Amino acid sequence: GGDSSNKGCVAGGITAVTSGKIQNCTVKGRVLGYDSYVGYGKAGGIAGHAYSTAAISDCINYAEVLCWDSGSGQGTAGGIVGYLYGTVKDCSNRGVINGYDRGNNNNAGGIVGWASGTAEQKAVISRCFNMAYFSGSGIVDYISKGYVEVKNCYNAGEISGNGYTRL
């Protein structure tokens, strides 16, 4: 485990962006994402951004994940995936997670920072758990458009956030 950082927009411990399968991975160290442009900074212990065809399974993150967006977007961080359209199953997070934007809003989830899907292709998070501290909300910090399925997941980590808990 070492440090993985990206001063563009997306950072991940295994890959910044994926549309394929990632299985049986372990990440240690630090994952740092920083975006100073218009857009959204994304960082995840395994992947920063996972497209609808992505399938991530049986992975463990021990790395600290930090995402900061000083532009006009938001920094989104997740223990496994920062921004999810695909599937995450049988994964766990044990690394500290923090995501911030210019207004110091917390945009971090124990497993996923932001999840979104479509009527044809839901984003799915199943059989996952978080054991680490994070500054944000639950297993998923933000669910967009309602086409997200979260099942058989739990959080045992300490949560700190300013605002409200979403899930």
Side-chain angles (χ1 to χ4, degrees), residues 4 51 94 117 138:
S4 173
Y51 286 104
R94 295 170 187 264

Side-chain angles (χ1 to χ4, degrees), residues 39-95:
Y40 297 89
K42 304 166 195 168
I46 304 300
H49 186 111
Y51 286 104
S52 62
T53 56
I56 299 170
S57 62
D58 302 300
C59 294
I60 301 171
N61 176 54
Y62 292 97
E64 173 188 14
V65 179
L66 172 64
C67 189
W68 175 267
D69 190 310
S70 63
S72 62
Q74 65 185 22
T76 302
I80 303 299
V81 178
Y83 207 100
L84 175 73
Y85 285 98
T87 301
V88 173
K89 68 177 186 174
D90 300 316
C91 293
S92 65
N93 176 59
R94 295 170 187 264

Side-chain angles (χ1 to χ4, degrees), residues 2-6 10-15 27-33 42-48 61 63-67 77-79 96 98:
D3 290 355
S4 173
S5 66
N6 183 347
V10 184
I14 298 296
T15 184
V27 174
K28 296 179 180 179
R30 296 178 79 196
V31 178
L32 307 171
K42 304 166 195 168
I46 304 300
N61 176 54
E64 173 188 14
V65 179
L66 172 64
C67 189
V96 174
N98 285 292

Side-chain angles (χ1 to χ4, degrees), residues 99-115:
Y100 298 101
D101 63 19
R102 285 193 305 188
N104 286 322
N105 294 310
N106 299 309
N107 300 298
I111 301 298
V112 173
W114 179 295

